[in-house]
Amino acid sequence: REPHAETQRAQRGIHRAFTLVEAVISAVVVGVMLVAALNTVGASRIGQQKTGERTKGALLAQQLMTEILQQYYVDPENGGFGLDGDEVGDGSRGLWDDLDDYDGWSASPPQRKDGTVIAEFNGWERNVSVAWVNPNDLKAAIGNDQGVKRITVTVTHDGVPLATQVAVRTSGWDEATE
């Protein structure tokens, strides 16, 4: 054999194999890409979790707002604002019959109308405020009844507000449904 042919084959073999430097660079590139991919998957998972929490919060707020809006505008027995003596006692909202009975109500974890805790909502809280508002400016709370109440339901999870629902109800609503 010719020595020149052996040298050519040896040189071709060197070009076909990885050097240690090329292997290290490849490992670094793959590692960086893997870290970036895992960060993307992690951020996506956190985003999905936050979206799920906001959805649960919105559903909890909607459920309570629906319950509240089914009540009378004013107490059918005495017309006062807030809870009456006969509406307090058993820890449930079962005896509440008008919008402002809910004013200042709060529960953590959230509860059904009968007072039972809604499962799997530890760390969650629902708060309600009811206020008389100016019929010409629904953001302006006033001290007397001009036929319009604003109901606000806020849902938090671990102290972070996730959902707020606001509704306005007029005294004319009750008159129309009677």
Side-chain angles (χ1 to χ4, degrees):
R1 292 188 170 177
E2 292 181 31
H4 183 63
E6 294 272 336
T7 306
Q8 284 179 344
R9 274 192 223 117
Q11 285 177 348
R12 274 187 259 149
I14 289 173
H15 290 294
R16 289 185 198 152
F18 282 111
T19 64
L20 183 58
V21 171
E22 290 171 328
V24 169
I25 290 172
S26 296
V28 167
V29 168
V30 168
V32 167
M33 292 176 70
L34 182 61
V35 167
L38 290 175
N39 284 339
T40 301
V41 169
S44 173
R45 179 66 184 120
I46 289 170
Q48 288 174 345
Q49 181 180 358
K50 287 183 179 186
T51 299
E53 286 181 352
R54 283 191 299 271
T55 300
K56 286 179 183 179
L59 291 172
L60 283 170
Q62 181 180 18
Q63 181 272 331
L64 184 56
M65 184 64 79
T66 299
E67 174 187 320
I68 295 169
L69 291 175
Q70 292 176 8
Q71 309 305 318
Y72 289 103
Y73 179 83
V74 295
D75 193 307
E77 294 178 19
N78 71 11
F81 192 94
L83 290 171
D84 300 326
D86 64 340
E87 296 171 334
V88 182
D90 66 356
S92 76
R93 302 183 305 274
L95 298 174
W96 296 4
D97 55 2
D98 61 288
L99 301 176
D100 52 69
D101 288 348
Y102 290 83
D103 184 45
W105 181 80
S106 176
S108 178
Q111 303 171 355
R112 292 182 176 80
K113 188 169 183 164
D114 66 5
T116 59
V117 171
I118 300 173
E120 300 178 21
F121 283 97
N122 289 329
W124 293 76
E125 183 175 12
R126 294 194 292 186
N127 299 289
V128 180
S129 69
V130 179
W132 290 313
V133 292
N134 182 334
N136 298 316
D137 181 5
L138 299 177
K139 293 181 182 178
I142 56 177
N144 61 344
D145 189 2
Q146 293 187 10
V148 182
K149 291 180 183 175
R150 181 184 61 227
I151 305 104
T152 305
V153 174
T154 304
V155 177
T156 61
H157 182 230
D158 294 332
V160 177
L162 293 177
T164 300
Q165 285 201 354
V166 179
V168 176
R169 180 80 184 277
T170 67
S171 58
W173 179 289
D174 288 347
E175 294 166 8
T177 57
E178 289 178 358

